[in-house]
Amino acid sequence: MGKADGFMLYKRVEDSWIEPSERIKNFKEFHNHLNDKERREQAARCMNCGVPMCQSAIRLGGMVTGCPLHNFIPEWNDALYKGQYDMAAWRLLKTSSFPEFTGRVCPALCEKACNCGNGGDIKDAVTIHDNELYIIEKAFESGYMKPQIPKVRSGKKIAVVGSGPAGLAVADLLNRRGHSVTVYERDDRAGGLLMYGIPNMKLDKKIVERRVNLMKAEGVTFVTGADVGKTIDASQLVADYDAVALCCGAKQARRLNVAGEESAGILPAVDFLKSVTQSLLNSDFADKKFLDPKGKHVIIVGGGDTGNDCTGTCVRLGAASVTALEMMPQPPAERAANNPWPQWPKVLKTDYGQQEVIKTEGHDPRVYKTTIKEIYTKDGSVCGIKTVQVEFKNIDGQRKLCEIEGSEKELPADMILIAAGFTGCEDYTAKAFGTDLTPRNVVATSKSDDYATSQEKVFVAGDMHRGQSLVVWAIAEGRECARQIDEYLMGYTNL
């Protein structure tokens, strides 16, 4: 521990956000970062606890707290405090493949478990998330992040299907081991969810391209526009490669199951985000190849991260109003007695998109305990909805979602984005390889920490294996899958 009393001398100071009225004018990242002196003071707050819960990734109360990558957080905080930037980056990269991604989009499970924040929330936790981002960006800026090209190649070839965080993690580790890796991506750009599922103001696509270009320089081959199971024959990949890793995500969107759902103006949230980002990157929106919310009353079904990303995107594109429907009750402002530290805090979070609607419309866009009961259409396009409030009740020993009588309400709606979660993978790729699927529509393995599928040579990782989850979990799964593939190929692993 660099400064024994750092946690007493310095208060928690996070990177600030550009004010909503300014940041909604563009799709640029909107964080103001601390200077070097301020960042080192924040690193000095890390206590190097005897039991560092921040890197534990233990399951408590049905949820995981602490980092799934088991990052050496006290070590690199200590190095950062001392100004040993290369040392900090070296220790960070030992466990984390892409800190520049997690440092931007991870909800910081580490901070929720930090011993400094054990009073019930994170107001005193170490700024682990911001420190991580500072370390990796300092490493790119200083030239520390150079291509690490393997000196010896094993002669083994691996195909990775999907270039999201899991696929990139698999490819990165196996390439470093000396295997020859080819990544197949069905879209026009590599990055998967990182490229097209997360909007630019949250993760600038230049950051994704920077990492992909570094991996190319290290020897990884990327093939875009390659839809395995459709335009690319799965059996040919199995024949041509020594192992195949399926990392296609869990992008099968949940449906509303309401009449009129197929009407014009209704779109799955991820499809909307993808089309907006493509238009931004291809033409700075000049091509208008997306469902334009400008001047429209937008309804977003779902209050999670994807719903919030849609909220922020629609505000930037000039929506007349944005309303987000959430089936669950509003979380409490503070931890409940049955949700103690170090459990994940089940408390109300007001994210950037919600902040922006509060600024532009004067109210929080979220409407809790509410869903769509009926969709109104005119000339084949959505023109309004009827909502109803809902609640969970125990009926005949089962927990069921029930409508609250007399709670119906009509709202204008020119556009509906469905951000209600996912129902597993788009299974055509899995079926093309002949792999078994679970009842949750993800690829089956013998147990949760096994990545070998029912088919010889075929492995799986990320959301396609565990279901919809966080970027940090996808990276963690990709790294573990790479280790298993390496052991399968070589009889042992040094990863």
Side-chain angles (χ1 to χ4, degrees):
M1 176 165 49
K3 194 167 183 61
D5 56 353
F7 70 99
M8 295 188 291
L9 292 178
Y10 308 118
K11 292 187 179 296
R12 174 185 169 94
V13 180
E14 301 176 37
D15 286 345
S16 62
W17 293 3
I18 295 172
E19 287 299 312
S21 57
E22 285 299 314
R23 68 184 189 236
I24 63 174
K25 295 177 181 178
N26 55 62
F27 278 77
K28 297 178 182 178
E29 290 188 5
F30 50 81
H31 292 88
N32 298 308
H33 301 289
L34 301 185
N35 62 37
D36 189 73
K37 177 178 179 293
E38 294 167 330
R39 180 54 58 207
R40 289 173 64 182
E41 288 176 353
Q42 290 303 302
R45 298 186 66 247
C46 183
M47 300 186 296
N48 193 13
C49 309
V51 181
M53 300 293 291
C54 57
Q55 60 193 47
S56 61
I58 58 174
R59 185 171 292 276
L60 296 171
M63 302 183 74
V64 170
T65 187
C67 180
L69 290 167
H70 304 291
N71 284 337
F72 303 144
I73 294 166
E75 293 187 34
W76 45 256
N77 271 328
D78 177 65
L80 174 56
Y81 163 67
K82 293 175 179 175
Q84 299 170 341
Y85 303 116
D86 287 357
M87 172 66 78
W90 176 60
R91 298 311 288 161
L92 174 58
L93 290 163
K94 276 288 184 181
T95 56
S96 180
S97 298
F98 314 118
E100 68 271 32
F101 302 152
T102 52
R104 286 175 165 83
V105 305
C106 185
L109 285 72
C110 50
E111 293 187 17
K112 311 307 186 290
C114 176
N115 277 297
C116 277
N118 66 13
D121 56 33
I122 67 164
K123 66 178 181 294
D124 294 320
V126 175
T127 56
I128 302 167
H129 181 269
D130 293 346
N131 293 356
E132 173 185 10
L133 181 58
Y134 188 85
I135 290 168
I136 189 62
E137 288 302 324
K138 191 83 170 179
F140 274 106
E141 178 187 327
S142 69
Y144 179 84
M145 295 296 292
K146 298 176 181 177
Q148 302 294 317
I149 302 171
K151 294 180 180 179
V152 179
R153 288 291 179 182
S154 67
K156 303 292 185 180
K157 298 192 304 178
I158 298 98
V160 178
V161 184
S163 67
L168 291 180
V170 171
D172 181 55
L173 257 67
L174 289 176
N175 179 69
R176 291 175 188 275
R177 184 72 166 93
H179 305 309
S180 298
V181 183
T182 301
V183 180
Y184 292 87
E185 168 57 53
R186 69 179 178 180
D187 284 324
D188 59 337
R189 292 179 174 89
L193 169 74
L194 301 166
M195 178 59 70
Y196 287 137
I198 300 172
N200 201 72
M201 60 276 192
K202 194 170 177 180
L203 174 59
D204 193 307
K205 303 316 160 191
K206 292 175 183 170
I207 302 301
V208 181
E209 291 169 346
R210 180 179 67 182
R211 174 59 72 166
V212 169
N213 288 335
L214 179 62
M215 293 177 66
K216 288 179 179 178
E218 293 174 332
V220 178
T221 299
F222 288 85
V223 182
T224 56
D227 197 351
V228 178
K230 290 185 178 178
T231 63
I232 301 291
D233 183 62
S235 62
Q236 193 62 50
L237 289 188
V238 174
D240 291 346
Y241 290 88
D242 298 293
V244 177
L246 304 182
C247 305
C248 305
K251 293 176 64 177
Q252 186 66 48
R254 191 182 306 277
R255 295 178 58 83
L256 295 178
N257 295 320
V258 177
E261 188 175 356
E262 304 300 329
S263 304
I266 303 177
L267 196 67
V270 172
D271 292 350
F272 169 70
L273 294 174
K274 175 183 174 180
S275 63
V276 169
T277 299
Q278 281 184 318
S279 183
L280 171 65
L281 297 180
N282 292 340
S283 69
D284 197 20
F285 299 128
D287 61 18
K288 291 293 183 182
K289 291 183 178 180
F290 59 93
L291 184 59
D292 193 353
K294 186 174 182 178
K296 296 178 181 177
H297 298 290
V298 181
I299 303 294
I300 299 171
V301 183
D305 287 343
T306 303
N308 175 67
D309 289 339
C310 288
T311 298
T313 299
C314 289
V315 169
R316 282 163 177 75
L317 292 173
S321 69
V322 181
T323 303
L325 306 182
E326 172 59 71
M327 285 199 307
M328 302 302 292
Q330 180 174 326
E334 298 181 354
R335 283 182 184 267
N338 63 355
N339 178 217
W341 179 89
Q343 289 183 6
W344 174 268
K346 301 173 185 176
V347 296
L348 181 66
K349 172 188 175 185
T350 302
D351 212 330
Y352 74 95
Q354 290 124 19
Q355 290 179 6
E356 290 158 7
V357 174
I358 291 170
K359 179 67 176 180
T360 56
E361 299 186 38
H363 63 86
D364 195 310
R366 292 169 289 187
V367 181
Y368 294 95
K369 298 175 62 176
T370 301
T371 190
I372 294 178
K373 184 173 183 177
E374 191 173 346
I375 296 173
Y376 303 133
T377 61
K378 182 179 180 181
D379 298 327
S381 297
V382 60
C383 62
I385 60 170
K386 178 188 286 186
T387 66
V388 64
Q389 290 187 316
V390 292
E391 61 183 352
F392 286 97
K393 292 183 178 180
N394 285 320
I395 299 176
D396 298 328
Q398 293 185 331
R399 189 167 180 258
K400 293 185 178 181
L401 188 66
C402 303
E403 294 184 3
I404 298 176
E405 188 176 350
S407 65
E408 290 87 353
K409 185 178 180 180
E410 293 187 347
L411 294 175
D414 307 305
M415 181 171 160
I416 299 175
L417 299 176
I418 306 171
F422 302 87
T423 58
C425 65
E426 296 172 289
D427 58 12
Y428 67 89
T429 303
K431 289 180 177 178
F433 283 94
T435 57
D436 295 334
L437 296 173
T438 73
R440 294 176 59 234
N441 201 39
V442 294
V443 175
T445 57
S446 62
K447 50 186 179 180
S448 61
D449 59 353
D450 184 19
Y451 302 90
T453 72
S454 57
Q455 297 297 314
E456 181 70 19
K457 298 171 63 172
V458 181
F459 296 77
V460 64
D463 289 2
M464 199 174 189
H465 176 228
R466 67 182 290 118
Q468 178 192 2
S469 192
L470 303 173
V471 167
V472 67
W473 272 115
I475 296 171
E477 286 229 339
R479 291 174 65 90
E480 290 303 316
C481 180
R483 291 187 179 96
Q484 190 167 344
I485 291 173
D486 184 53
E487 186 171 7
Y488 166 79
L489 295 175
M490 307 300 288
Y492 65 96
T493 182
N494 286 335
L495 291 176

